[in-house]
Amino acid sequence: MQTYFENPLSWTGFFTMLAVGVLMLLIVLGFVTYAIYFERKVIGYMQLRPGPNRTGPFGLLQSVADVTKLLIKEDTIPSKADRALFILAPAIAFVPSFAVIATLPYTSNLYAADLNVGLLYYGALTSISTLGIVLGGWASNNKYSLLGGMRSAAQMISYEVPLILSMVGVIMLSGSLNLRTIVEGQAGWIWNWNIFPQIIAFGVFVIAAISELNRTPFDLPEAESELVAGYHVEYSGFRFAFFMLAEYVYVYAIAALTTVLFLGGWHAPAPFLTFIPELIWFLLKFSAVVFVLFWLRATMPRIRIDQLMGLAWKYLLPIALVNIFLTALVKELLK
């Protein structure tokens, strides 16, 4: 039999890949469950509230109870909605958020896929989630949902441009789109991390990433005070949970990507600290990024849509372009 694959996948390889995928899904779902818990605890502490403290010891089962409630709630579909697209939209929003995790390296030996175009793969897949949000708003046959979906699309597309451009400086320094190669270029002392030579790109990346996550102060896609909860107003039960799940999976992905691109990945800040396992360093940096995201949500108010769009096109885009030219100039001068 003729095969179109140079190395056909065996059944052993197939089940190994399946097991790795299931394991990653369980890890991400565990992160999402307790990221919600710790976010509520952190925000509660900052705002002098106790946060979850009743369900389970120290409230540890509160997120589990919330998820269970969503899964067993009635799943309603509006009678005049586009049924097929209404059902498909949450999956389109969630699947890319999980698929991008495949290319994230956690240590020099712990990663699911080592793609030469890993960063391009990440940027391409994250763009698909925008389609899920737009379809969710349009398929609901609700004017508020449609407006929420269109406004969400405008925001996410606008901020994808500076987000991708902010990565170009890192790509120029490392000479690769491979995420493992980018991390290896930051080995040694802390000043080798990309956050220092690319501090401008780091600022643009963080602001654009928070907007891509639809989190405070850029949580206009939800905007329940303005558009009756935006694009997902007609969703209930587990379909609504899929939209929320996608948001928190992207928190995981963005925190990991920030660690890889700018914070040295699994590398210690100094050579004499390399006795600490690589995974520990990665998790410490990853946790710090997640904490900052929670901190911003606790302290910043939502901005207006005109301020949101103006920030992307008037400020972040030109700054990202200037950073690319400065990086090219410095590399040329240092030849």
Side-chain angles (χ1 to χ4, degrees):
M1 180 184 294
Q2 183 180 8
T3 177
Y4 293 92
F5 297 94
E6 184 177 350
N7 297 306
L9 184 64
S10 65
W11 282 108
T12 303
F14 171 77
F15 284 115
T16 300
M17 291 175 58
L18 184 63
V20 171
V22 171
L23 178 62
M24 284 302 304
L25 180 60
L26 292 176
I27 292 173
V28 171
L29 291 178
F31 165 81
V32 170
T33 300
Y34 284 98
I36 296 171
Y37 169 79
F38 283 111
E39 179 175 31
R40 295 169 71 179
K41 275 293 189 183
V42 167
I43 294 177
Y45 176 79
M46 291 180 175
Q47 298 177 347
L48 300 179
R49 296 183 290 103
N53 63 350
R54 298 298 182 90
T55 310
F58 307 105
L60 286 170
L61 297 179
Q62 183 61 58
S63 293
V64 177
D66 292 340
V67 171
T68 303
K69 180 187 71 173
L70 280 175
L71 294 179
I72 63 177
K73 287 183 73 173
E74 181 183 3
D75 175 36
T76 60
I77 299 179
S79 59
K80 295 187 179 181
D82 187 319
R83 188 178 182 87
L85 292 180
F86 188 88
I87 294 172
L88 190 61
I92 295 177
F94 168 72
V95 171
S97 70
F98 180 69
V100 297
I101 296 173
T103 59
L104 296 173
Y106 304 99
T107 71
S108 55
N109 298 312
L110 182 59
Y111 52 88
D114 186 22
L115 298 182
N116 289 332
V117 289
L119 201 53
L120 182 62
Y121 169 87
Y122 184 99
L125 278 190
T126 53
S127 303
I128 299 176
S129 292
T130 306
L131 182 61
I133 289 176
V134 174
L135 287 178
W138 183 82
S140 297
N141 194 29
N142 179 307
K143 299 298 188 295
Y144 291 109
S145 297
L146 178 60
L147 287 173
M150 296 303 293
R151 188 165 73 170
S152 301
Q155 172 182 336
M156 297 178 75
I157 292 172
S158 297
Y159 278 87
E160 276 175 8
V161 178
L163 181 72
I164 299 300
L165 289 178
S166 67
M167 301 179 191
V168 173
V170 173
I171 296 170
M172 294 170 69
L173 289 181
S174 63
S176 174
L177 288 166
N178 186 299
L179 292 175
R180 291 182 65 245
T181 303
I182 291 173
V183 176
E184 292 298 348
Q186 302 175 71
W189 293 89
I190 189 172
W191 50 77
N192 292 332
W193 295 0
N194 287 333
I195 188 174
F196 297 106
Q198 289 293 307
I199 186 64
I200 297 175
F202 177 73
V204 174
F205 179 87
V206 169
I207 295 173
I210 294 172
S211 181
E212 280 287 289
L213 292 172
N214 302 329
R215 292 180 62 85
T216 306
F218 306 114
D219 56 339
L220 271 298
E222 296 180 18
E224 66 279 354
S225 61
E226 305 166 31
L227 288 177
V228 203
Y231 64 92
H232 52 61
V233 66
E234 297 290 356
Y235 282 88
S236 63
F238 75 96
R239 300 191 205 282
F240 173 81
F242 260 75
F243 280 120
M244 294 300 101
L245 179 62
E247 177 181 325
Y248 278 91
V249 173
Y250 271 130
V251 169
Y252 177 101
I254 283 292
L257 187 65
T258 305
T259 303
V260 166
L261 293 182
F262 296 100
L263 302 180
W266 57 81
H267 291 301
F272 60 84
L273 294 174
T274 54
F275 67 92
I276 299 175
E278 293 176 342
L279 185 60
I280 299 298
W281 284 117
F282 186 93
L283 291 177
L284 286 173
K285 299 170 188 178
F286 171 87
S287 300
V289 175
V290 173
F291 174 78
V292 170
L293 294 175
F294 294 169
W295 185 3
L296 291 175
R297 183 170 183 178
T299 56
M300 300 192 72
R302 179 184 299 148
I303 65 175
R304 298 195 315 264
I305 184 65
D306 59 311
Q307 296 171 328
L308 179 84
M309 302 301 286
L311 177 64
W313 295 107
K314 294 181 181 178
Y315 300 100
L316 294 186
L317 178 59
I319 292 172
L321 290 172
V322 168
N323 178 72
I324 293 173
F325 286 115
L326 288 176
T327 303
L329 180 62
V330 171
K331 282 181 67 66
E332 187 65 28
L333 294 176
L334 293 178
K335 278 186 178 180

